[in-house]
């Protein structure tokens, strides 16, 4: 619109009509082609998808399966919350993906567990199976290393669930916020089926006003 004036021919006053006609045709043709051919929206990356408007952090499902309360896990270290609050999943397959956007802080030598820290300071432990440390890493294939940057949905490890079951061990996977005491509340999803990228847990930050001690008189 603003650059069209430079195409006006002072010796040919009707040139402005041709310019207007070409502009109109270009708009109509572009609109028509868009309707006919269509276009695809560019997907939004999930790197910041875990932070909600109210400042809480939502975790996605790291595995597909049946979610249940941490208190139902057959391991007192987890069921009593000794490592923190969280949830558990009885997985349908062995693919484990990142529930957050952040950094891999720890990959256990036996590869049965991975520690992550998200961009908001939430520390997450994903522990695949119960007592699977005794398997010396044989059923597990790590896809990341400590220090790696991960986005929501990036694959962390692959677990051979059949091998774990053959060893007589449960495949129940725990997802625990190991620094739970730094947050106001941890709210896991209700028991039921979950799949990748579904929200399964929400971490609520302390209210700043509540954390501020009143001044002494």
């Amino acid at each position: 619109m603003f650059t069209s004036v430079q195409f006006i021919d002072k010796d040919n006053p009707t040139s402005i009509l041709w310019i207007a006609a070409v502009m109109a045709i270009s708009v109509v043709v572009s609109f028509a082609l868009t309707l006919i051919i269509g276009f695809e929206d560019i997907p939004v990356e999930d790197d910041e998808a875990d932070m909600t408007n109210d400042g809480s952090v939502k975790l996605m499902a790291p595995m597909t399966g049946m979610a249940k309360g941490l208190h139902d896990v057959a391991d007192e270290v987890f069921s009593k919350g000794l490592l923190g609050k969280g949830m558990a999943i009885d997985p349908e397959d062995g693919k484990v993906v990142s529930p957050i956007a952040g950094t891999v802080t720890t990959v256990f030598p036996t590869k049965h567990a991975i520690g992550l820290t998200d961009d908001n300071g939430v520390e997450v432990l994903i522990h695949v199976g119960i007592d699977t440390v005794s398997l010396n890493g044989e059923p597990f294939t790590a896809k990341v290393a400590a220090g790696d940057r991960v986005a929501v949905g990036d694959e962390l490890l692959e677990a051979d669930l059949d091998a774990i079951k053959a060893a007589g061990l449960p495949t129940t996977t725990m997802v625990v916020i190991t620094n739970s005491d730094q947050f106001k509340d941890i709210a896991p999803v209700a028991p039921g089926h979950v799949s990748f990228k579904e929200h399964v847990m929400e971490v609520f930050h302390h209210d700043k006003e509540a954390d501020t001690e009143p001044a002494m008189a």
Side-chain angles (χ1 to χ4, degrees):
M1 179 78 70
F2 294 108
T3 59
S4 61
V5 294
Q6 64 181 320
F7 298 105
I8 298 175
D9 186 354
K10 63 181 180 179
D11 298 326
N12 183 11
T14 60
S15 61
I16 191 172
L17 299 178
W18 288 106
I19 293 170
V22 170
M23 292 175 63
I25 291 172
S26 64
V27 171
V28 172
V29 171
S30 299
F31 182 75
L33 289 176
T34 301
L35 288 178
I36 296 171
I37 300 175
F39 64 92
E40 183 177 355
D41 287 331
I42 299 174
V44 178
E45 295 295 332
D46 288 324
D47 279 1
E48 287 80 32
D50 56 346
M51 175 64 80
T52 62
N53 292 332
D54 61 1
S56 64
V57 176
K58 288 189 175 182
L59 279 69
M60 306 293 187
M63 301 183 81
T64 295
M66 296 299 295
K68 63 182 182 181
L70 204 59
H71 58 275
D72 292 327
V73 173
D75 186 322
E76 289 189 352
V77 173
F78 293 102
S79 62
K80 291 186 175 180
L82 300 182
L83 294 181
K85 298 179 180 179
M87 60 171 293
I89 298 175
D90 288 323
E92 295 175 353
D93 62 61
K95 182 179 179 180
V96 182
V97 304
S98 179
I100 58 169
T103 304
V104 178
T105 51
T106 305
V107 178
F108 284 62
T110 49
K111 297 174 285 188
H112 71 290
I114 288 183
L116 309 165
T117 301
D118 93 325
D119 297 331
N120 306 291
V122 180
E123 298 175 2
V124 183
L125 172 67
I126 302 174
H127 189 289
V128 182
I130 297 176
D131 294 331
T132 46
V133 64
S134 62
L135 300 179
N136 296 317
E138 293 182 5
F140 304 101
T141 303
K143 305 292 185 178
V144 294
D148 286 353
R149 172 77 188 179
V150 291
V152 175
D154 285 354
E155 189 171 5
L156 301 177
L157 63 85
E158 184 75 27
D160 186 341
L161 300 185
D162 290 334
I164 296 173
K165 293 175 182 178
L169 300 176
T171 59
T172 302
T173 298
M174 285 63 67
V175 185
V176 178
I177 309 302
T178 55
N179 59 341
S180 297
D181 56 347
Q182 296 181 18
F183 301 99
K184 182 179 180 180
D185 193 19
I186 312 294
V189 71
H193 188 271
V194 295
S195 57
F196 295 129
K197 292 201 172 184
E198 288 184 7
H199 287 134
V200 294
M201 188 157 37
E202 189 166 4
V203 179
F204 294 91
H205 287 276
H206 284 286
D207 296 330
K208 292 182 178 180
E209 295 180 0
D211 289 341
T212 303
E213 295 182 2
M216 297 182 64

